[in-house]
Amino acid sequence: MEYLKLSYKIDAKKPYIFIGSKIRGAFGYALKEEVCVNPIFKCENCFSAKECIFYDFYEAQNTTNNFRLDFKLFSKKYKFSLLLFGEAQKHKSALHNAMMNSLKEYKNIDFKEKVKNLEKKKTVKIIKLSFITPLRMKKKNRFATRDIDLLDILLSIYKRHRDLKGLDFERANIDTSYKVVSKHLLYQELTRRSNKQNTKMQLGGLMGEMVISNVSKEVYNLLKLGEVIGVGKSTVFGLGKIKIEDVG
């Protein structure tokens, strides 16, 4: 799977723990100014909605976003990446221009662009799965606040990948012979202010780690895919970031 990574490092103090909300909000305003061709500057019933990257990113309903923000929640540095998948990569120039305009209050910004290809890895016996930013997934029609099953995570990655590739739904048949050796998860609360909805939104989720043994090649590769595309809800804000480490 090929994707594009646009990375930004700012020579400034990080504003607060959760930068995803600020970045996505400012980026949205800048992106609309960059690409909008509608004289009335409104998305509703716009003649250009089907070709508009802003509409795809911010207004389209019931769709899987083909981008996400990537950063560490407790990092001491103000740096992040914009990951672009599928058709979104064709708009990289407009997206980069908009991002730079959204960061115009800062003077020194280090930018890097890299095309990356996710390659399949060899099978390992034991891995540690870490949740770098809060994981928001529903369990019994509610967002999980104490625990989540590894199978639910794998199914989330599987479905999101198929959606990004534009493939129809197909039931996953995942090898469940793995064993969760240990699990340490805590709920991390996050909130953001939505100007559009004029309300505060809850974006909390689970953080921590799992140690998993007897990991099949299929499961390992699905989790490596999840490192790139994210897991669960609100990945566009940078949530659902995971990391896999080989430990045996």
Side-chain angles (χ1 to χ4, degrees):
M1 175 184 173
E2 187 177 282
Y3 62 100
L4 186 62
K5 184 175 184 179
L6 307 181
S7 298
Y8 303 85
K9 183 177 179 181
I10 303 170
D11 186 15
K13 186 177 180 180
K14 184 178 175 181
Y16 39 73
I17 290 176
F18 179 48
I19 63 174
S21 178
K22 176 177 179 175
I23 294 170
R24 187 176 184 272
F27 177 55
Y29 284 111
L31 182 59
K32 190 170 186 178
E33 290 184 352
E34 178 74 22
V35 302
C36 184
V37 295
N38 190 334
I40 61 174
F41 209 58
K42 291 185 178 181
C43 292
E44 187 177 2
N45 299 320
C46 179
F47 60 88
S48 187
K50 290 183 178 180
E51 294 79 31
C52 180
I53 190 64
F54 172 82
Y55 187 88
D56 285 347
F57 276 24
Y58 286 87
E59 296 293 333
Q61 301 294 316
N62 302 317
T63 185
T64 298
N65 294 108
N66 52 3
F67 78 102
R68 78 175 184 89
L69 291 172
D70 183 48
F71 57 87
K72 292 182 179 180
L73 193 64
F74 297 103
S75 174
K76 295 181 180 180
K77 298 179 180 178
Y78 193 179
K79 64 178 182 178
F80 64 92
S81 297
L82 178 65
L83 305 186
L84 305 177
F85 312 111
E87 294 294 310
Q89 297 176 75
K90 297 179 180 179
H91 301 272
K92 67 175 184 179
S93 294
L95 294 170
H96 171 62
N97 290 342
M99 185 62 78
M100 293 300 289
N101 284 333
S102 73
L103 299 171
K104 60 186 178 181
E105 63 181 288
Y106 303 103
K107 294 181 179 180
N108 300 316
I109 302 174
D110 182 26
F111 167 70
K112 293 181 180 179
E113 174 187 326
K114 189 173 184 179
V115 176
K116 306 197 74 174
N117 201 328
L118 179 64
E119 297 180 357
K120 292 185 177 181
K121 305 294 183 179
K122 64 182 180 180
T123 304
V124 296
K125 292 184 179 180
I126 306 175
I127 64 171
K128 182 170 74 172
L129 167 61
S130 300
F131 304 95
I132 310 301
T133 60
L135 171 69
R136 285 178 63 79
M137 289 185 61
K138 286 189 174 181
K139 190 172 183 177
K140 295 182 180 180
N141 296 319
R142 293 183 179 181
F143 282 110
T145 59
R146 293 185 178 181
D147 194 14
I148 195 72
D149 294 329
L150 179 59
L151 181 59
D152 292 331
I153 294 171
L154 295 169
L155 290 172
S156 173
I157 298 169
Y158 175 83
K159 182 181 183 303
R160 178 165 168 75
H161 184 229
R162 291 189 69 84
D163 288 345
L164 287 172
K165 295 184 71 174
L167 300 175
D168 292 334
F169 173 78
E170 183 177 289
R171 188 177 181 84
N173 185 20
I174 297 174
D175 180 4
T176 57
S177 61
Y178 54 78
K179 180 180 179 181
V180 178
V181 179
S182 64
K183 185 188 298 186
H184 302 283
L185 301 176
L186 294 172
Y187 186 79
Q188 173 70 47
E189 186 61 270
L190 291 175
T191 59
R192 69 174 288 263
R193 177 73 182 178
S194 173
N195 292 326
K196 184 177 181 180
Q197 299 181 30
N198 192 30
T199 186
K200 280 188 176 181
M201 298 177 62
Q202 303 296 323
L203 290 177
L206 293 170
M207 294 187 68
E209 62 185 38
M210 295 181 183
V211 175
I212 310 156
S213 65
N214 197 32
V215 179
S216 68
K217 184 177 181 179
E218 173 195 24
V219 168
Y220 187 84
N221 287 329
L222 264 177
L223 291 172
K224 292 300 290 185
L225 180 62
E227 284 187 324
V228 176
I229 66 177
V231 187
K233 302 289 186 180
S234 303
T235 58
V236 292
F237 289 99
L239 302 187
K241 176 181 174 64
I242 64 172
K243 182 180 178 182
I244 313 301
E245 296 178 72
D246 305 346
V247 294

